[in-house]
Amino acid sequence: AIQLTQSPTSLPASVGDRVTITCRASQGISTALAWYQQKPGEPPRLLIYDASSLESGVPSRFSGSGSGTDFTLTISSLQFEDFATYFCQQFKSFPTFGQGTRLEIK
Amino acid sequence: QVTLKESGPVLVKPTETLTLTCTVSGFSLTNIRMGVTWIRQPPGKALEWLAHIFSNDERSYSTSLKSRLTISQDISKNQVVLIMTNMDPVDTGTYYCARVDSVNELYGDYWGQGTLVTVSS
């Protein structure tokens, strides 16, 4: 199975910050990667698919990039409602998820 | 409006069989492109993709759980069913169903709210 490693595990940040979360795949997955946001007690919400395509209705401050084994999710100017846990997921082979990055208020 | 709703028992005993139902609306299980997946999440932990199914009855399972899982669909009822045998306390968690965009785009674009399943004697 393809393993995904996210970093950091926890990220303290402030409103207005530009933040970047990294996801590294154990083997090349082209651009078969999605990013989700999850808040406590809620299901995950799809943000990005195909590594860089923004899902409909997702604010443009979210962006994704990368291909092969290294990917990033960037939030250009952090808003209060963005404090949540973020997961990457690959679908090059049977889908697997990263362990999550918790974005916390500094 | 696309919706998915999970239903099933909240408590099962070790060694018992779990049956979960996902009832969908706003899209058709006969849609040649779309499918449905089951994903679970132990408390405070990461997500795990369990299985998915498409309208042509193409199914795929997690390698580590394949021997315990069966996914099926009842198109007349707009339902996808997941059966997991020999439940163990480590299987405790929230179980989600989600719509999958296509066989080549295996990510969940619409999700149910999830159902918490506890495995305990």
Side-chain angles (χ1 to χ4, degrees):
Chain A
I2 296 174
Q3 295 182 353
L4 298 178
T5 303
Q6 290 182 232
S7 60
T9 302
S10 176
L11 178 57
S14 301
V15 172
D17 284 354
R18 178 183 178 90
V19 299
T20 297
I21 298 169
T22 297
C23 179
R24 175 163 289 176
S26 58
Q27 63 190 76
I29 58 171
S30 184
T31 56
L33 190 96
W35 288 96
Y36 300 88
Q37 174 193 68
Q38 187 178 32
K39 297 180 179 180
E42 296 183 7
R45 173 195 181 193
L46 179 66
L47 300 175
I48 302 285
Y49 60 94
D50 293 344
S52 61
S53 296
L54 192 68
E55 174 69 353
S56 176
V58 175
S60 58
R61 63 180 179 273
F62 290 91
S63 64
S65 65
S67 67
T69 59
D70 294 315
F71 302 85
T72 59
L73 173 70
T74 299
I75 308 173
S76 59
S77 180
L78 202 58
Q79 302 299 302
F80 181 76
E81 59 267 28
D82 301 335
F83 290 100
T85 300
Y86 293 83
F87 293 95
C88 57
Q89 177 232 310
Q90 65 80 24
F91 51 93
K92 180 66 173 176
S93 63
F94 190 85
T96 52
F97 291 88
Q99 81 279 16
T101 294
R102 185 177 176 187
L103 191 51
E104 306 174 327
I105 299 175
K106 185 184 290 184
Chain B
Q1 179 187 4
V2 172
T3 64
L4 301 97
K5 184 174 177 61
E6 306 88 350
S7 59
V10 296
L11 179 66
V12 297
K13 292 181 169 55
T15 75
E16 287 187 341
T17 294
L18 172 69
T19 300
L20 294 172
T21 300
C22 176
T23 303
V24 311
S25 64
F27 71 101
S28 173
L29 295 177
T30 61
N31 186 310
I32 196 169
R33 175 186 170 90
M34 295 171 181
V36 173
T37 180
W38 282 96
I39 292 164
R40 72 177 178 179
Q41 186 174 36
K45 296 189 177 180
L47 299 154
E48 181 180 17
W49 192 290
L50 301 177
H52 56 262
I53 189 167
F54 285 89
S55 62
N56 61 358
D57 219 32
E58 177 183 333
R59 315 170 195 206
S60 189
Y61 297 98
S62 163
T63 300
S64 62
L65 293 168
K66 187 173 184 176
S67 64
R68 298 173 54 205
L69 294 175
T70 303
I71 191 169
S72 62
Q73 57 189 350
D74 186 333
I75 293 175
S76 66
K77 295 182 179 178
N78 292 322
Q79 292 179 336
V80 174
V81 175
L82 183 75
I83 297 172
M84 180 179 288
T85 61
N86 194 25
M87 293 292 285
D88 183 273
V90 300
D91 297 314
T92 293
T94 299
Y95 287 71
Y96 298 100
C97 61
R99 190 181 80 168
V100 175
D101 186 75
S102 76
V103 67
N104 293 316
E105 301 283 333
L106 290 173
Y107 51 80
D109 57 0
Y110 289 89
W111 293 62
Q113 285 299 306
T115 184
L116 177 61
V117 178
T118 300
V119 185
S120 175
S121 54

